[in-house]
Amino acid sequence: MDSNDIEKERGITILAKNTSVMYNGIKINIVDTPGHADFGGEVERVLKMVDGVLLLVDAFEGAMPQTREVLKKSLALNLKPIVVINKIDRPGARPEKVLDEVLDLFIELGANDEQLDFPVIYASAKNGIAKLNLNDEAVDIKPIFETIINSIEPPKCSIEGTAQMLVSNIEYDEYLGRIAVGRIERGIIKSGMPITICKSDKNIQGKVAKLFTYSGLKKIEVEEAEAGDIVELSGIADVNIGDTICDTNNPEKIPFVDIDEPTVSMTFSVNNGPLAGKEGEFVTSRHIRDRLFKELERNVSLRVKETDTPDSFEVSGRGELHLSVLIETMRREGFELLVSRPRVIIKEIDGVKSEPIERLIVNVPDESIGTVIEKLGKRKAEMVNMEPAEIGHTKIEFKIPARGLIGYRTEFLTDTKGTGTMNSVFDGYEPFKGDIMARTRGVIVAFEAGTSITYGLYNAQERGDLFIGPGVEVYEGMIVGINARNEDISINVCKEKHLTNTRASGSDDALRLVPPIQLSLEKAIEFIADDELVEITPKNLRLRKKILDSKTRERLVARAKKQ
C-alpha cells in the first residue's frame, strides 16, 4: 500500500492509508499505519477509526522499539489485538521465541487479562499463506480474515440518529480540493447533503460535494454511506484533522485524541548562498512559509514557529527522520532552502531541566560490542539489557538522551562494518544528563569560489576525506571534506598546477583521487555542527559554514579561544 516515491525508496510507511476487503459478505476496513516512531502522529489519529489491531511482528527480528510504541497506544484505547508473526519462512526464523517476547511486551505495557488472551497467526506474506498453528498445512490467508471476524467486535456505531463523523486524515485532489477522511460514527451521510463542521472554537456550514468509499485499493464514488464505513468526502475547503462533521440539526463534537509533542527542532531558512536560485523553482521566504503551513494541515505532530528574522522558521517534529522526509519532499517539489543541525527540545518539568530520552536497540556483530558500548557510553547512554541474537550477533538495549543519537548513525555503521542495525523510540523526559561530546573531526572548507580541479583536490585529500570530485562548482565557505584532525582548515580546491618548461620523469603521471564520500540527506543533517548548514536544492546537497567569509570565521574562533 506504500504509494509515494519516498516510501518505495526507503521501504517504510510514512502516511497512513485505507483499504477495504469483502469476505463472505462482510466488509473489513483496513488501515495501514507507519511503524516508525517518528510518524507516531499518523498512528494516534487513525486509531480512532478502528476497533482492533493486527500487530505484525517479524519472526526473525522480534518485537522492535516501534512495535512497543504502537502497541502501547492501541492498548490504551482498549483495542482488541491479534498478533501476526510474519516471515516464518525466513532462514533463522524463531516464531516461538518471538511469541514469548511479544507476551513479555504485553505484560510490561500493563495489558489486562482480556488483552493478554490474544489470538496468534503465523504467516508468510511473501508466499500468501497464514495458519493458526505452526504444524498446520497452509494454503491461503483465510485464517487471518476468519480470526478478524471471530475476534474483533463490529464497530459500535448506530445507523439511527443524526450523522456524525470525526475527520482523522486529510487528502488533496487537484480537481476536488481538500478531502476529509474518517469513519462515520452515527447515522447516514449522503452526497449533496448540508452539514455542520464542528471545530475547536467555532462551527461552520458546508455541503458534501462528492462521497467516496473504499473497495480494495480503489476509491469508488457512492451516493450514501452509513455508520461504520470509512469514507472520503469533498466540498469543504476549511476542514482539518480533528474536526467533526455533523448533521446541521444536531452539531455535536467528538473529542480528538491527544497527539504527543515534538522532541526535535530545526531551523529552515532561505538559501542565501552564492549559488542561490540557480537550481530551485521556489526560493523565497513566502514560498517556504506557505509550504510549511500547508504541511501543518495534515501533519498533526509537526509544529512551525516564525522567528525574529522573516526568512527563517523553527520547525519541530518527532525526530530527524520525520523532518528529513519533509525536507526531501520539499526538495522534490522544487524548493531551495537551508537547514540547521537538529536540536532537542529541552523542557522544565517540576523546576528540573529535562531532556527527551530514547530507548535504543542495537543488533551488532560480537567483535564490535566493545566499540559500540564505549562510543554510546561517551554519549551518556545507559545499558538496560543485553542478549544473544542470531549467530555472531548480540542485541543490546540502551536508554540514551535524544541529542546523543544525533550524528551517531554514520559512526555506528563504520564501527559495525555496515552490518549493525539500530532502532530507537521516544521513551520520555528525564533530568538533563550533562554535556555530550560533539563531532571529533574538523572540516575542509573551500577557500575561494570556482570549479574544483583534480590538482587542488589531490592536495586537499592528503589532509582528510573529500565530499566532492573534480568539476564541481564551489564557493568560499562551502565544506568540501572532513579533516583528519579536530580543527577546520581552508584549502583552495580550485588551484591549478603552474606550467613550467621543465619536465621530470614521473612528475606528470595522472593524479589519483580517492572516490568522494557520498552523503545522503540524513547523513548530511547528522554530520553538520552548530556553526554549519545544509544547502538543499532539487539537484544538489551542499554543506557550508553559516559564516562564509574565512577571515570573519577566523576572527570569531580566535575571540572564542581567548574567552
Side-chain angles (χ1 to χ4, degrees):
M1 288 172 69
D2 294 342
S3 53
N4 75 38
D5 292 340
I6 299 177
E7 288 180 321
K8 288 175 183 172
E9 286 165 22
R10 296 177 185 234
I12 57 173
T13 305
I14 295 169
L15 305 172
K17 295 171 195 68
N18 302 37
T19 185
S20 71
V21 177
M22 292 299 293
Y23 180 76
N24 290 346
I26 298 170
K27 185 176 188 181
I28 302 172
N29 285 313
I30 300 167
V31 186
D32 179 26
T33 64
H36 202 285
D38 280 27
F39 309 109
E42 292 280 317
V43 179
E44 288 153 356
R45 54 194 169 83
V46 299
L47 286 178
K48 294 284 280 184
M49 287 200 283
V50 299
D51 300 282
V53 290
L54 290 171
L55 185 71
L56 200 59
V57 186
D58 192 304
F60 176 75
E61 293 178 338
M64 303 300 281
Q66 300 94 301
T67 314
R68 175 193 185 88
E69 190 68 10
V70 177
L71 179 60
K72 183 178 168 185
K73 291 180 188 345
S74 55
L75 291 177
L77 289 170
N78 210 25
L79 298 172
K80 174 75 178 176
I82 297 171
V83 174
V84 181
I85 297 177
N86 190 31
K87 301 187 185 175
I88 55 171
D89 58 320
R90 184 175 170 178
R94 46 191 187 96
E96 292 99 337
K97 193 167 187 308
V98 166
L99 182 57
D100 291 341
E101 285 177 18
V102 172
L103 188 59
D104 290 343
L105 183 58
F106 270 79
I107 294 166
E108 194 184 326
L109 294 175
N112 58 37
D113 291 345
E114 191 184 342
Q115 288 169 332
L116 283 171
D117 187 23
F118 53 80
V120 182
I121 300 167
Y122 301 95
S124 167
K126 183 180 172 184
N127 297 321
I129 57 166
K131 49 190 174 182
L132 299 175
N133 295 298
L134 276 172
N135 301 324
D136 293 352
E137 279 293 316
V139 289
D140 52 31
I141 58 164
K142 281 184 182 176
I144 294 180
F145 295 124
E146 296 287 353
T147 308
I148 290 171
I149 290 165
N150 296 333
S151 305
I152 295 173
E153 296 285 324
K156 296 180 176 66
C157 301
S158 170
I159 297 176
E160 304 300 320
T162 53
Q164 189 185 43
M165 173 185 131
L166 177 69
V167 179
S168 298
N169 207 349
I170 293 288
E171 289 188 3
Y172 186 81
D173 184 278
E174 286 184 20
Y175 304 104
L176 301 174
R178 288 172 74 75
I179 296 173
V181 183
R183 185 175 73 175
I184 303 173
E185 298 295 331
R186 188 178 66 204
I188 295 172
I189 292 181
K190 296 181 181 180
S191 180
M193 73 181 277
I195 48 171
T196 297
I197 300 95
C198 300
K199 296 182 163 294
S200 53
D201 54 349
K202 62 180 179 181
N203 292 354
I204 60 171
Q205 304 303 312
K207 181 182 175 183
V208 179
K210 285 185 181 289
L211 185 66
F212 300 91
T213 186
Y214 296 90
S215 177
L217 294 174
K218 296 182 197 148
K219 282 192 295 190
I220 52 170
E221 189 175 348
V222 292
E223 286 304 309
E224 66 173 56
E226 58 187 38
D229 271 330
I230 293 178
V231 296
E232 292 190 0
L233 52 93
S234 68
I236 314 152
D238 189 21
V239 66
N240 287 304
I241 292 166
D243 293 351
T244 307
I245 291 170
C246 311
D247 189 291
T248 49
N249 299 320
N250 184 20
E252 188 183 346
K253 185 162 174 59
I254 300 171
F256 190 49
V257 65
D258 288 335
I259 301 292
D260 287 351
E261 288 298 307
T263 56
V264 171
S265 72
M266 292 169 73
T267 303
F268 288 34
S269 51
V270 172
N271 184 8
N272 58 9
L275 304 180
K278 290 187 176 179
E279 296 169 2
E281 187 182 348
F282 307 109
V283 297
T284 66
S285 60
R286 183 176 60 81
H287 284 136
I288 295 170
R289 183 187 184 281
D290 290 350
R291 178 63 182 83
L292 289 174
F293 279 94
K294 183 183 175 187
E295 184 69 18
L296 280 181
E297 293 173 357
R298 65 166 320 284
N299 199 333
V300 290
S301 47
L302 195 76
R303 303 283 182 275
V304 177
K305 197 163 76 177
E306 299 191 58
T307 61
D308 299 336
T309 54
D311 58 355
S312 294
F313 306 90
E314 189 177 309
V315 183
S316 307
R318 287 287 185 82
E320 288 169 76
L321 184 62
H322 185 201
L323 295 175
S324 70
V325 165
L326 169 61
I327 294 165
E328 181 62 33
T329 306
M330 290 175 67
R331 177 189 177 192
R332 292 181 185 203
E333 289 170 0
F335 282 84
E336 224 178 85
L337 66 155
L338 297 173
V339 298
S340 71
R341 177 181 166 86
R343 304 175 300 277
V344 299
I345 297 170
I346 306 290
K347 289 184 178 179
E348 193 164 300
I349 301 171
D350 299 328
V352 179
K353 183 182 178 184
S354 302
E355 64 176 326
I357 302 293
E358 300 269 329
R359 186 176 287 264
L360 171 71
I361 292 181
V362 297
N363 185 322
V364 295
D366 291 344
E367 64 270 18
S368 308
I369 292 172
T371 311
V372 169
I373 291 174
E374 183 192 349
K375 293 271 181 81
L376 286 169
K378 288 178 181 175
R379 291 168 175 266
K380 308 290 184 187
E382 176 190 323
M383 194 193 296
V384 177
N385 189 27
M386 185 173 178
E387 61 183 45
E390 67 270 27
I391 296 167
H393 281 68
T394 301
K395 187 172 167 184
I396 317 172
E397 189 173 344
F398 297 91
K399 286 176 79 173
I400 180 170
R403 61 198 168 95
L405 282 175
I406 294 172
Y408 176 63
R409 195 173 296 271
T410 311
E411 211 174 305
F412 173 79
L413 288 172
T414 305
D415 293 340
T416 60
K417 299 181 176 64
T419 59
T421 59
M422 59 184 281
N423 288 282
S424 63
V425 66
F426 174 65
D427 195 61
Y429 272 83
E430 288 185 14
F432 192 74
K433 304 290 182 187
D435 292 334
I436 289 177
M437 178 187 73
R439 191 178 71 204
T440 53
R441 294 170 68 183
V443 290
I444 300 170
V445 185
F447 183 68
E448 64 176 42
T451 303
S452 58
I453 304 284
T454 303
Y455 181 73
L457 290 171
Y458 184 76
N459 291 328
Q461 80 176 8
E462 293 176 355
R463 311 292 294 271
D465 304 312
L466 296 177
F467 293 150
I468 64 165
V472 175
E473 199 173 354
V474 299
Y475 52 81
E476 183 184 4
M478 179 171 154
I479 296 168
V480 295
I482 178 166
N483 190 8
R485 300 188 177 184
N486 65 355
E487 73 264 7
D488 297 344
I489 53 167
S490 293
I491 291 183
N492 182 5
V493 292
C494 307
K495 185 178 181 182
E496 296 187 49
K497 185 175 182 182
H498 293 297
L499 298 176
T500 66
N501 290 329
T502 310
R503 291 287 178 271
S505 172
S507 64
D508 287 332
D509 286 350
L511 299 175
R512 299 199 175 197
L513 293 179
V514 176
I517 297 168
Q518 299 291 332
L519 288 180
S520 65
L521 177 60
E522 273 89 9
K523 284 181 182 173
I525 289 169
E526 282 187 343
F527 175 80
I528 57 172
D530 291 332
D531 66 335
E532 295 161 4
L533 299 167
V534 182
E535 179 183 332
I536 288 149
T537 75
K539 294 180 183 173
N540 286 295
L541 289 177
R542 300 184 186 95
L543 306 187
R544 52 161 278 186
K545 288 288 184 182
K546 280 184 182 175
I547 299 166
L548 297 176
D549 182 63
S550 55
K551 292 280 186 289
T552 309
R553 280 201 317 277
E554 285 168 14
R555 280 199 298 271
L556 288 172
V557 169
R559 198 179 302 160
K561 283 180 180 174
K562 283 179 185 175
Q563 292 173 352

